[in-house]
């Protein structure tokens, strides 16, 4: 089977997002206090907490994929371009909000499946965005299967941020949307960093950014992928040499608590990443607590990459310049 890799060119994403009135570049912050705490020369933080009003990088993914669908529809009015469409997905966090927001923009409907472990506060946020919420399964993987079954039964469009054999086009578009972050970072930095930390659940963001940075900066930066110790789907798949399901307890890093990686993301990261790291629940909590006084309030998921740095990422020293992503705001739902 031919391997599928993430796209690395953000031009199409930038051109489409330029038509969106809510699209504004997010800042890249020179975080010297964090650098001092971590014992490194420099830390640059891509702050995604204000992305398109949704508080997370995920706003770039599903909403971009739905916008592509609206373009293909060639409707005169974008607000009603997709009135006959229903998009369905499972979510452990902000992907569901992106699907709901994208559907609303173009007149479509969104149905979001949540596992029983997802807090009710998040279900309420989805409902307020206009989505219909369905509870199914004890885990993200079970809720995704329920969403896929519903798509087949009702003729809805499944819009997952993960990919598997036979399902690659839509998650590929979601990952392509994340390239906008990479394009902005490349323009905001004057030189390539020495070390890049990318947190991962199914791996979509990490793989998209890693592909872009390799195209921009070659082999020079060390790219380290960070997962919860409770959900080491990528590192175990790399060790096994194939996509592998993993098991573990529920992680407080809920957005990253995915036990099966995305097929496309795994292929991309096997090619582009140098290191795969896991962090404990205690390290994630301590990292978030350390970041807050510096003005970087976030969740254990949003700060996982920086938490790995603060707990002693291998290969970092007083001469290292580090790039990390603060992927979401502080509302821990």
């Amino acid at each position: 089977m031919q391997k599928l890799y993430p796209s690395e060119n953000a031009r199409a994403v930038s051109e489409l997002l330029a038509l969106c009135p809510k699209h504004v570049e997010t800042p890249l912050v020179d975080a010297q206090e964090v650098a001092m705490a971590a014992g490194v020369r420099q830390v640059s933080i891509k702050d995604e907490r204000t992305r398109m009003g949704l508080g997370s990088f995920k706003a770039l993914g599903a909403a971009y994929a739905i916008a592509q669908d609206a373009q293909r529809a060639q409707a005169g009015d974008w607000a009603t371009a997709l009135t006959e469409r229903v998009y369905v997905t499972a979510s452990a966090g902000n992907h569901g909000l992106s699907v709901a927001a994208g559907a609303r923009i173009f007149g479509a409907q969104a149905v979001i499946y949540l596992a029983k472990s997802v807090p009710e506060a998040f279900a309420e946020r989805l409902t307020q965005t206009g989505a219909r919420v369905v509870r199914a399964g004890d885990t993200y993987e079970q809720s995704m299967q329920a969403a896929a079954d519903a798509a087949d039964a009702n003729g809805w469009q499944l819009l997952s941020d993960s990919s598997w054999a036979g399902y690659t086009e839509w998650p590929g578009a979601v990952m392509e949307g994340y390239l906008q972050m990479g394009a902005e970072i490349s323009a905001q930095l004057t030189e390539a960093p020495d070390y890049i930390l990318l947190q991962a659940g199914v791996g979509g963001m990490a793989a998209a950014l890693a592909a872009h940075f390799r195209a921009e900066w070659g082999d020079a930066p060390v790219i380290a992928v960070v997962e919860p110790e409770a959900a080491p789907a990528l590192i175990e798949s790399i060790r096994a040499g194939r996509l592998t399901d993993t098991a573990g307890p529920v992680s407080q890093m809920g957005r990253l608590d995915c036990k099966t990686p995305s097929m496309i993301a795994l292929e991309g990261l096997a090619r582009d990443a140098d290191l795969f790291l896991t962090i404990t629940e205690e390290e994630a909590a301590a990292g978030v607590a350390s970041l807050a006084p510096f003005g970087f309030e976030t969740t254990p998921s949003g700060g996982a990459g920086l938490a790995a740095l603060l707990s002693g990422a291998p290969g970092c020293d007083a001469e290292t310049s580090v790039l990390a992503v603060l992927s979401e705001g502080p509302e821990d739902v």
Side-chain angles (χ1 to χ4, degrees), residues 83-305:
T83 53
E84 302 301 317
R85 278 282 209 181
V86 178
Y87 298 93
V88 60
T89 193
S91 180
N94 293 304
H95 174 67
L97 285 173
S98 185
V99 172
R104 185 174 62 180
I105 289 168
F106 299 105
Q109 299 176 57
V111 181
I112 314 298
Y113 279 71
L114 301 180
K116 295 174 185 176
S117 58
V118 177
E120 186 58 28
F122 181 69
E124 292 173 3
R125 287 182 67 193
L126 285 167
T127 301
Q128 291 167 4
T129 311
R132 179 158 70 89
V133 173
V134 180
R135 292 281 187 176
D138 294 319
T139 65
Y140 169 79
E141 287 73 23
Q142 290 172 359
S143 63
M144 179 57 72
Q145 185 59 58
D149 291 344
D152 289 341
N154 296 290
W156 297 340
Q157 177 58 59
L158 181 66
L159 182 45
S160 172
D161 58 351
S162 188
S163 59
W164 50 84
Y167 181 75
T168 57
E169 179 181 357
W170 285 90
V174 170
M175 291 175 62
E176 189 177 354
Y178 300 152
L179 291 173
Q180 178 65 24
M181 266 194 297
E184 292 176 8
I185 291 168
S186 298
Q188 290 166 327
L189 280 176
T190 56
E191 61 182 8
D194 301 317
Y195 202 102
I196 301 171
L197 286 154
L198 301 171
Q199 57 264 39
V202 297
M205 180 196 82
L209 291 183
H212 178 80
F213 294 146
R214 288 295 182 223
E216 285 288 309
W217 296 323
D219 294 334
V222 172
I223 296 180
V225 178
V226 179
E227 296 180 283
E229 187 178 62
L234 288 162
I235 193 170
E236 292 300 333
S237 294
I238 292 294
R239 286 170 175 161
R242 57 180 175 79
L243 193 148
T244 300
D245 295 329
T246 57
V250 173
S251 171
Q252 66 175 326
M253 290 169 272
R255 318 288 194 260
L256 310 181
D257 192 7
C258 304
K259 311 301 189 190
T260 303
S262 163
M263 183 181 73
I264 300 174
L266 178 62
E267 295 290 1
L269 290 170
R271 179 191 66 184
D272 296 325
D274 297 297
L275 297 173
F276 291 81
L277 312 174
T278 60
I279 60 171
T280 65
E281 303 298 294
E282 293 75 18
E283 287 169 337
V288 169
S290 297
L291 291 169
F294 303 137
F296 298 110
E297 295 87 356
T298 185
T299 65
S301 299

Side-chain angles (χ1 to χ4, degrees), residues 28-31 42-46 189 193 306 321-325:
L28 185 75
V29 182
D30 184 7
Q42 182 179 30
V43 174
S44 299
I45 298 177
K46 182 62 168 170
L189 280 176
L306 287 161
S321 63
V322 177
L323 169 66
V325 177

